[in-house]
Amino acid sequence: MLLKKVDPRALKDNPDRSRRTKSTSQADALLLATIKLVGILQPPVIVPEQGGGNGYLIEVGHRRVKQAIAAGLDEIEVLEVEVSDDHGAMRSMIENVAREPLNPVDQWRGIERLVVLGWTEEAIAAALGLAPRRVRQLRLFGSVLPAMLDHMAKGDMPNEQQLRTIAAAPVDDQKEVWKKYKPSKDDPKVTWWNVSNALTKTRMYAKHASFDDELARAYGIEWVEDLFGPADEDGRYTTNVEAFLGAQQEWMTNHLPKRGVIAEVNSWGEPILPPKAERVYGKAGKSDRIAMYLDRNGTVQSVAYRMPAPKKAQGNGTSPAGDAAETPTGRPDVTRRGIGMIGDFRTDALHEALSRAPIANDTLMALLVLALAGRNITIASGTSDDVYGFARMDRHAVRLIGQDGKLGFDEDTLQQAARGALIEVLSCRENRSDSGIVARIAGEAIGADAFLPNMGTEEFLSCLSRPALEGSCKDTPVLPRPRVKETRAALVAHFTDGRFVHPSALFAPDSAALANWLAKHEAVAEDEQEEPHTELQDCDSGAEAQGDDAEQFREAA
């Protein structure tokens, strides 16, 4: 065996080497960084070329030679050995198989030794081809109880989450927990979950904080970097829970919207709204209010809600009656809260369909006529200047007026203006904005059912009676359970990645309600037909003045 220096470019690859699979780019980068900083620690093994050649073949160390060339080295040290009977096959196998990588504890001990010798974390990371964050992670082993480290070095390692919890705990706490859960002769393995669970402290993360650094300093919050968390996320945290929640409360107080409230939460983490408030599960309207609260992670959340409209006093002392109000003989299939949720879902789906679904021009004209028949529409003429809902219609009408003050638009502009006007008018919400049955007819006409959200959620299914809930199991593999909440939980789990729409939420109105509505309005239409239509007569006279455009003028009227 002879140690000598050679030009790595003069060495030839052994065609019979053991490692044929191409190494990863990360492994090559690690080896290159090491060679650049500290050189080749173990010389490659070479043998004289056989068959009349005068060169050398690489028997062991092909990657080292390749990366030495990449590093620009003119010479490297190599070990020249005699050609073996098996052409170096066993030496090549031992070189690649017999090595055992350092476990994390030994890596930490080696890093600490380098730090004592004057190496910085950045220099160590560059020499070993590691990220500086990984070097800092390994140095956290210095915060682990030595008795735990000795056991981990034997190969019984906790997972990353458990190790993070252990390293963050004070050493005195680790000693007490280790006395209880350390291995015994009968059970040499450690249940690391028990150890980490006993050392767990509630953490509040900076990524969940709404307050700024100034408010954090005012509350004495000191952030600690979570080195085991994802590298692309803000891993800072604090265990000072009271200070974190206090800063969040102050931020909510300073940023509370007009007429907003800060709500407490119940045992399920849901906000407690004011009495008689109805939660808005769709898009919040201008008249809706906002409640802000802190969830279980300490994150500021907000929900919209609306208060019921004040009831008008009745002159005859009777209570106001809705459309076809009936006294229920038992619990209805859907509670009042569920009906309100359906109204929100329908309205959002209807507006989404009006924005995105294809609508023919003739259908659009029919919808505009329907919309004017909605019960949330007030049509006035003359001196009335308080027309509900029409103030915001001006922005749609303006789009149809040209610079000369006359009607001027293209088909696309007309379509967009008509759609916008319908969105302003049509609503299924359970308040004054409810358009009534015409909104449901319009929604069915444009396929708004396809835009309804998944109702297979805990919030909505809790609004169903037991028969209605069990009826929702139809066409699913879910079978009714003895307890209602078990059936509901099974349906929620089933529809997590699917979609469920309760039949009562579909837009198509039931035949009885539709027949009553048609009968009521057809009677009004018959009465109007008995009287002369002076408006159309005026249009006819105007049409004569237009010459050949008479027919078009009459149709427009």
Side-chain angles (χ1 to χ4, degrees):
M1 183 178 295
L2 178 63
L3 181 65
K4 58 191 304 183
K5 290 187 177 183
V6 299
D7 184 349
R9 298 164 188 81
L11 301 177
K12 300 179 181 179
D13 290 340
N14 185 350
D16 293 329
R17 62 184 183 272
S18 298
R19 189 186 294 274
R20 302 289 183 89
T21 304
K22 187 178 180 181
S23 56
T24 64
S25 57
Q26 292 86 351
D28 288 342
L30 168 60
L31 182 57
L32 177 60
T34 303
I35 291 174
K36 285 182 176 181
L37 283 171
V38 297
I40 297 178
L41 301 179
Q42 183 176 349
V45 178
I46 64 172
V47 296
E49 187 177 5
Q50 301 298 304
N54 58 358
Y56 291 93
L57 292 180
I58 305 171
E59 193 166 274
V60 174
H62 291 79
R63 291 182 60 239
R64 278 169 274 170
V65 172
K66 180 180 177 181
Q67 296 307 320
I69 296 173
L73 300 182
D74 296 329
E75 285 185 334
I76 61 172
E77 291 184 337
V78 297
L79 285 175
E80 181 184 348
V81 298
E82 296 180 358
V83 178
S84 60
D85 295 338
D86 60 4
H87 300 286
M90 181 54 70
R91 278 198 294 256
S92 180
M93 284 295 294
I94 292 174
E95 172 73 16
N96 290 286
V97 174
R99 290 184 176 182
E100 180 183 3
L102 292 176
N103 64 49
V105 176
D106 287 336
Q107 290 181 38
W108 161 71
R109 287 170 174 158
I111 288 173
E112 291 302 318
R113 181 184 176 192
L114 292 172
V115 171
V116 172
L117 294 174
W119 285 71
T120 64
E121 291 181 350
E122 290 73 17
I124 294 172
L128 299 180
L130 301 175
R133 178 186 177 87
R134 177 56 180 166
V135 174
R136 291 195 295 269
Q137 288 177 357
L138 290 170
R139 296 200 69 190
L140 284 180
F141 279 103
S143 302
V144 178
L145 186 70
M148 289 190 190
L149 278 178
D150 293 338
H151 183 79
M152 293 177 188
K154 297 176 182 178
D156 186 9
M157 291 284 297
N159 62 34
E160 186 174 290
Q161 177 68 32
Q162 293 163 351
L163 180 59
R164 172 173 56 184
T165 302
I166 294 169
V171 175
D172 291 340
D173 293 350
Q174 294 183 42
K175 287 181 180 179
E176 295 300 321
V177 172
W178 186 245
K179 288 180 182 179
K180 182 177 181 180
Y181 295 108
K182 67 181 180 180
S184 62
K185 292 181 179 179
D186 297 332
D187 188 8
K189 301 285 286 185
V190 175
T191 306
W192 291 111
W193 182 88
N194 290 334
V195 175
S196 64
N197 189 53
L199 295 172
T200 297
K201 287 188 176 181
T202 303
R203 293 182 175 188
M204 310 304 290
Y205 284 88
K207 62 185 177 182
H208 297 150
S210 297
F211 54 84
D212 55 16
D213 293 339
E214 182 179 353
L215 199 55
R217 288 191 295 269
Y219 277 83
I221 297 174
E222 296 182 358
W223 299 115
V224 179
E225 181 69 24
D226 183 1
L227 295 175
F228 288 91
D232 57 346
E233 293 183 4
D234 186 356
R236 296 175 300 154
Y237 69 91
T238 180
T239 56
N240 192 347
V241 178
E242 292 184 1
F244 182 93
L245 297 180
Q248 290 285 71
Q249 287 282 351
E250 182 168 336
W251 184 91
M252 287 194 298
T253 302
N254 296 335
H255 294 81
L256 196 64
K258 185 178 180 180
R259 298 194 303 165
V261 298
I262 296 178
E264 299 292 332
V265 295
N266 56 26
S267 56
W268 294 278
E270 293 294 321
I272 302 175
L273 299 178
K276 298 184 180 181
E278 297 179 5
R279 182 169 175 176
V280 177
Y281 289 88
K283 297 177 182 177
K286 294 181 179 179
S287 60
D288 295 333
R289 304 182 182 185
I290 299 297
M292 302 178 74
Y293 67 99
L294 296 178
D295 64 13
R296 292 177 177 176
N297 293 325
T299 308
V300 175
Q301 303 285 4
S302 62
V303 296
Y305 69 95
R306 65 174 61 98
M307 301 301 296
K311 296 181 180 180
K312 296 181 179 179
Q314 302 295 312
N316 55 5
T318 61
S319 60
D323 293 343
E326 296 181 359
T327 303
T329 57
R331 181 185 175 184
D333 286 346
V334 184
T335 63
R336 289 300 308 172
R337 176 168 168 262
I339 292 174
M341 292 174 65
I342 288 175
D344 291 338
F345 292 150
R346 278 180 180 156
T347 302
D348 291 342
L350 177 59
H351 292 176
E352 189 75 11
L354 287 170
S355 299
R356 297 169 48 195
I359 306 176
N361 288 341
D362 54 352
T363 303
L364 201 59
M365 292 176 64
L367 294 180
L368 286 168
V369 174
L370 274 177
L372 293 176
R375 64 187 181 190
N376 63 324
I377 295 298
T378 300
I379 299 178
S381 60
T383 59
S384 175
D385 56 0
D386 185 20
V387 182
Y388 171 75
F390 277 83
R392 60 179 183 266
M393 297 289 283
D394 293 347
R395 59 192 178 98
H396 303 298
V398 167
R399 303 175 66 181
L400 306 180
I401 308 299
Q403 295 182 352
D404 57 356
K406 299 180 181 180
L407 285 176
F409 52 84
D410 54 26
E411 185 174 344
D412 288 342
T413 302
L414 178 60
Q415 270 262 353
Q416 294 171 9
R419 288 171 182 260
L422 288 169
I423 290 173
E424 297 286 2
V425 171
L426 292 176
S427 170
C428 298
R429 302 192 192 279
E430 289 267 300
N431 50 29
R432 185 181 177 184
S433 67
D434 186 6
S435 302
I437 197 170
V438 297
R440 298 183 62 180
I441 296 173
E444 183 190 21
I446 62 176
D449 286 334
F451 295 87
L452 288 169
N454 175 31
M455 300 181 187
T457 62
E458 177 70 25
E459 290 84 1
F460 180 77
L461 294 180
S462 63
C463 298
L464 300 183
S465 64
R466 186 187 190 112
L469 186 67
E470 294 178 350
S472 301
C473 297
K474 185 179 179 182
D475 300 328
T476 73
V478 178
L479 297 176
R481 308 296 204 267
R483 304 177 67 181
V484 171
K485 67 177 184 180
E486 294 175 352
T487 304
R488 185 165 61 244
L491 284 172
V492 170
H494 175 72
F495 290 114
T496 298
D497 298 324
R499 180 171 176 266
F500 167 71
V501 176
H502 194 266
S504 65
L506 297 175
F507 277 87
D510 60 88
S511 56
L514 181 60
N516 291 337
W517 185 82
L518 288 174
K520 174 182 176 181
H521 290 80
E522 284 174 353
V524 175
E526 290 176 358
D527 293 341
E528 290 180 348
Q529 287 177 358
E530 295 176 0
E531 300 179 1
H533 289 260
T534 56
E535 294 88 348
L536 289 180
Q537 291 174 358
D538 292 340
C539 291
D540 287 339
S541 62
E544 293 176 359
Q546 295 294 327
D548 295 336
D549 295 332
E551 187 64 21
Q552 290 86 340
F553 193 90
R554 183 180 295 106
E555 291 176 359

